[in-house]
Amino acid sequence: MIPLSEAQQHVLDQCEQLPVVRVPIRSARGMVTAEAVFANEQIPPFDNTAVDGFAVRAADLASASETDPARLRVIGTIAAGAAPTAPVGAGEAIRIMTGAPMPEGADAVAMVEWTTIDGDDVLIDRAVGVGDAVRGAGEDLQPGDAVFAAGVELSPGHLGVLASIGVYEVSVVRQPVVGVFSTGDELIEGSQPLKPGQIRDANRHTLLALLERDGFEVIDLGIIGDDEALIEAAVQDGVSRCDAIVTSGGVSMGDYDYVKAVLDRVGDMRWMQVAIKPAKPLAFGTVAGTPVFGLPGNPVSSMVSFELFARPALRKMMGHSQLQRPIQVGSAAQDWRRGSDGKTHFVRVAIDQDHGVFSIRSAGGQGSHQLTAMAGADALAVLPDGDGVEQGAPLEFFFINP
Ligand code: AMP
Ligand code: MG
């Protein structure tokens, strides 16, 4: 068996970042910037008011109070989107709406809530400071400022910033197109009654959904029987259309485990026995330069193997620098007994949170075929080799959702 970190490094070393593409911001959410983006205008583009109210000269309101309001003559109105026409002189005010440009002469805005209209005048019952309620031009961005660095995952907020500076196309790292197939003569698709020995394919649906959740494009390559020629054809078809392939089943020590045999023959493969439970076997290789992840068939194992090997590598391909899930520490809500077997165990757990304090309990049956506990798990807890942990002991874990 080899340590998990060695297996992960081996996989990462062979997965290269994909080429840079320009995409419309409408399709760029979740993608990673390939280069820094610079502002070419200032944001906000002009001094404008943060509130609805009256543009004034602060000096005119210096002694204003509720008992002795200042009286200013209202000489006009500026709506958002309009250009100011006249300057504000001493003893004058202009009614102004949020987002409208500040007129010349004015240096502050008094909120409408502090004012009363009296004929052509406005009475303002408190003083304001120079600059109050004014959003200065360029407060957020100046021309030449780096808006984002390279390597940033574009969030909805980022896309709004790009739109605000008139950048509607952005250079990002292309996200991998990932083909998925399941292997096994026992697998069927559909709700028809099972014939003896048959089960329904679970892994392909899980893996396709995991990939989509993580921002990858998917191609469903179906179910392939335990037949070397068919598996080889599926691999060749997959590598011709995809940037990576994820398969499940056929990588252990059974008589019909042909995935590793095929990868060994047509690719550059390493078959690894990783010191973890579940998901000990992993057949990882490249076929014509395309990474192929031969994950184990047991449904929990295939998900755990996806989390530990495929997800980080695919994230690297799409330009992420944070590849692994961040490790957290919580407290075991129960005893976890285990025997020493040279492996790190990944336990399916539910996390109860109280003000950032994590309490960790089992999510259910821990067999590698028991997918329900994996489905209900918030996280995988990391139980190091040894005899386990006691209730109350610190325990490392990482969230696996979303
Ligand atoms: P294998 O890795 O091919 O030896 O499969 C290990 C176990 O996982 C066997 O019990 C298989 O029937 C089961 N298995 C393999 N592939 C799938 C799948 N796609 N969905 C559900 N169970 C599977
Ligand atoms: Mg099989």
Side-chain angles (χ1 to χ4, degrees), residues 186 226 250 257:
E186 72 278 33
D226 289 316
D257 286 340

Side-chain angles (χ1 to χ4, degrees), residues 27-41:
S27 350
R29 188 185 60 78
M31 302 186 86
V32 177
T33 52
E35 57 191 33
V37 177
F38 295 93
N40 46 16
E41 5 179 270

Side-chain angles (χ1 to χ4, degrees), residues 277 336-345 383-389:
K277 182 183 173 183
W336 261 293
R337 291 282 153 229
R338 54 160 291 182
S340 182
D341 58 5
K343 299 179 198 165
T344 302
H345 291 191
L383 214 52
D385 194 22
D387 51 12
V389 299

Side-chain angles (χ1 to χ4, degrees), residues 17-23 31-39 145-154 158 162 165 167 169-174 318-320:
Q17 187 171 305
L18 293 177
V20 173
V21 288
R22 298 220 16 113
V23 296
M31 302 186 86
V32 177
T33 52
E35 57 191 33
V37 177
F38 295 93
D145 280 356
V147 184
F148 320 120
V152 170
E153 177 178 342
L154 290 170
H158 290 129
L162 292 176
I165 58 170
V167 172
E169 232 185 44
V170 60
S171 291
V172 295
V173 181
R174 190 161 69 71
M318 74 177 288
H320 284 286

Side-chain angles (χ1 to χ4, degrees), residues 182-183 186-187 199-204 248-252 257 296-299:
S182 293
T183 69
E186 72 278 33
L187 302 178
I199 61 168
R200 296 191 184 87
D201 177 10
N203 296 351
R204 194 165 41 95
S248 67
V251 298
S252 342
D257 286 340
N298 272 307

